[in-house]
Amino acid sequence: MSNKIETFLQSHLKTDLPDIRSGDTVKVYQKIKEGDKEKTQIFEGLVIARKHGQEMGSTITVRKIISGVGVERIFPLHSPVIEKIEISKKGKVRRAKLYYLRKAKGRRAKLRRKEFAKAIAEKKPENNEMESR
């Protein structure tokens, strides 16, 4: 019986998800139905938690500030309502859960950013050109 459940769940798992970690700034594209119309709504914010690993019920908690008020939404990653998730920035954090950001304000609420490998690769040829002169 459990084999049937596992095969059913495997067929519904998304394979195109990026490597999302806490501290990342993400854009979540979500389908919303209003009557007979369907539109895509974007929620951009900071991932403060990721739960349940790679299984079917895995979720991310995304937080953003709207008009001075903190808003958090929990998105199930493998839901058919989620169209796609884009990572816009990578954060450098030491914790898996960033719940302390709920109370932090101003500069304390900012995270350090990781530099993408592309940016590092682009900087190296410029230094080699200067050395050859």
Side-chain angles (χ1 to χ4, degrees), residues 13-69:
L13 287 176
K14 291 184 180 178
T15 57
D16 59 340
L17 290 174
D19 182 32
I20 302 168
R21 298 177 181 226
S22 59
D24 295 349
T25 303
V26 295
K27 288 182 183 178
V28 180
Y29 293 80
Q30 183 178 19
K31 290 185 239 177
I32 303 228
K33 285 188 177 180
E34 294 179 357
D36 19 336
K37 294 182 182 179
E38 189 173 293
K39 69 175 187 173
T40 302
Q41 187 178 42
I42 302 172
F43 190 86
E44 183 175 7
L46 182 73
V47 177
I48 61 170
R50 179 171 178 165
K51 294 184 179 179
H52 308 294
Q54 299 295 328
E55 66 185 42
M56 184 70 174
S58 61
T59 60
I60 56 172
T61 304
V62 182
R63 177 181 176 83
K64 76 174 182 178
I65 307 294
I66 302 173
S67 302
V69 179

Side-chain angles (χ1 to χ4, degrees), residues 36-125:
D36 19 336
K37 294 182 182 179
E38 189 173 293
K39 69 175 187 173
T40 302
Q41 187 178 42
I42 302 172
F43 190 86
E44 183 175 7
L46 182 73
V47 177
I48 61 170
R50 179 171 178 165
K51 294 184 179 179
H52 308 294
Q54 299 295 328
E55 66 185 42
M56 184 70 174
S58 61
T59 60
I60 56 172
T61 304
V62 182
R63 177 181 176 83
K64 76 174 182 178
I65 307 294
I66 302 173
S67 302
V69 179
V71 177
E72 291 183 10
R73 292 188 67 183
I74 299 171
F75 294 102
L77 292 177
H78 299 286
S79 171
V81 175
I82 304 295
E83 280 185 18
K84 66 178 177 176
I85 298 175
E86 289 181 355
I87 298 176
S88 55
K89 297 177 188 174
K90 288 269 193 192
K92 183 178 180 183
V93 293
R94 292 178 153 193
R95 298 167 188 251
K97 308 291 188 272
L98 304 177
Y99 298 134
Y100 67 90
L101 290 176
R102 291 174 176 161
K103 295 179 182 176
K105 292 182 181 176
R107 189 168 180 181
R108 290 185 181 187
K110 286 194 172 188
L111 297 176
R112 291 183 190 165
R113 298 285 165 211
K114 284 186 187 176
E115 294 210 14
F116 289 107
K118 294 177 187 176
I120 294 171
E122 290 174 2
K123 291 179 183 178
K124 288 183 180 179

